[in-house]
Amino acid sequence: MRTPPPDTADVTPAAPPLVPTVLAEDGVLLREGLSGLLERFGFPVVASVGDADALVPAVAEHTPGLVVTDIRMPPDFTDEGLRAAVRLRREHPGLAVVALSQYVELSYATDLLDSGDGRGVGYLLKQRVGDVREFASVLRRVVDGATFVDPEVVRQLLRRRADPLERLTPREHEVLALMAEGRSNGAIARELLVSDAAVGKHVGNILAKLDLPPEEGVHRRVQAVLAYLRGRPA
């Protein structure tokens, strides 16, 4: 006698794993709001600090899976958070880091993405936090190893730094912009309403035009995004 298949209607999808998180933000209200948001979406905050000097020892003490940090923090409100993030990526390989900025600051994006192997890192504008589900989705993708650059940063790069990428077609620019947002080939295909094979061909053309031949130990998609952000071929 055959066993009837289980009724899948009552099966609840497994919740994503919790990711211990260290948060660094000097604004008290924003820090409290971010802490609550992170907890809600599966990123329990194991330490919450208000300056970059406290961020590094907090990570050493709690060994989190994710760091979310403002770029400008006390005492000088320049790039303290960025420098701490780059140091942490050097000292803790595999640590996912998402940096938040009030404004588009292109040099900060490239400095952060140059740290480590360029994976598991994100650069977001603070306004992106307003869409809480999208923000949580970006964090989850970065923890899973993706590279994410805020779409507004990408748009400004297109306006300011087209010359080094002039060999790319308009469609290849679109594909590379979506790669910079951490999209997979399948996600890019759905966004552009084309086939996965077409996206794969575009990606191959982009890598070839940016002179990124296959090389062991090098993540070429990340290198392409870095070339895009720097505004010059890799």
Side-chain angles (χ1 to χ4, degrees), residues 117 119 215-219:
D117 59 3
R119 286 172 282 188
E215 184 178 342
E216 186 176 356
V218 173
H219 195 297

Side-chain angles (χ1 to χ4, degrees), residues 157-195:
L157 284 164
L158 279 173
R159 290 197 296 267
R160 299 181 190 183
R161 299 185 173 185
D163 183 64
L165 303 168
E166 61 185 6
R167 288 180 289 176
L168 304 186
T169 66
R171 177 61 90 183
E172 289 164 356
H173 270 288
E174 288 182 295
V175 171
L176 183 52
L178 292 169
M179 287 169 60
E181 294 178 20
R183 308 285 188 95
S184 66
N185 282 11
I188 294 172
R190 290 190 294 273
E191 176 73 19
L192 300 180
L193 302 179
V194 298
S195 68

Side-chain angles (χ1 to χ4, degrees), residues 22-209:
V22 169
L23 172 63
E25 163 61 50
D26 65 284
V28 176
L29 292 179
L30 180 56
R31 186 165 70 243
E32 291 301 312
L34 279 172
S35 293
L37 188 156
L38 291 167
E39 296 275 357
R40 174 183 169 192
F41 285 95
F43 301 93
V45 176
V46 295
S48 178
V49 301
D51 58 67
D53 288 340
L55 173 57
V56 174
V59 170
E61 178 181 354
H62 297 281
T63 59
L66 172 67
V67 166
V68 177
T69 180
D70 191 5
I71 283 178
R72 295 186 173 189
M73 288 193 291
D76 298 325
F77 293 95
T78 55
D79 62 351
E80 290 86 356
L82 169 73
R83 286 187 278 111
V86 172
R87 174 182 170 183
L88 289 170
R89 300 244 317 147
R90 182 174 63 248
E91 295 179 354
H92 303 274
L95 175 63
V97 172
V98 171
L100 302 176
S101 179
Q102 188 70 38
Y103 308 103
V104 175
E105 298 171 286
L106 302 180
S107 62
Y108 291 163
T110 55
D111 286 345
L112 183 61
L113 288 168
D114 268 330
S115 65
D117 59 3
R119 286 172 282 188
V121 62
Y123 178 87
L124 287 172
L125 297 181
K126 288 185 177 179
Q127 67 193 50
R128 196 69 52 196
V129 180
D131 187 341
V132 294
R133 293 192 179 277
E134 175 63 18
F135 178 60
S137 174
V138 168
L139 296 182
R140 188 67 59 177
R141 286 155 58 188
V142 169
V143 168
D144 289 341
T147 302
F148 185 92
V149 182
D150 194 284
E152 181 58 30
V153 177
V154 173
R155 281 191 287 271
Q156 293 203 24
L157 284 164
L158 279 173
R159 290 197 296 267
R160 299 181 190 183
R161 299 185 173 185
D163 183 64
L165 303 168
E166 61 185 6
R167 288 180 289 176
L168 304 186
T169 66
R171 177 61 90 183
E172 289 164 356
H173 270 288
E174 288 182 295
V175 171
L176 183 52
L178 292 169
M179 287 169 60
E181 294 178 20
R183 308 285 188 95
S184 66
N185 282 11
I188 294 172
R190 290 190 294 273
E191 176 73 19
L192 300 180
L193 302 179
V194 298
S195 68
D196 287 10
V199 173
K201 182 177 180 180
H202 288 312
V203 171
N205 289 340
I206 290 167
L207 297 177
K209 291 178 179 180

Side-chain angles (χ1 to χ4, degrees), residues 110 113-114 157 161 164 223 225-234:
T110 55
L113 288 168
D114 268 330
L157 284 164
R161 299 185 173 185
Q223 292 299 315
V225 170
L226 288 173
Y228 179 60
L229 292 172
R230 295 189 190 104
R232 59 179 173 78

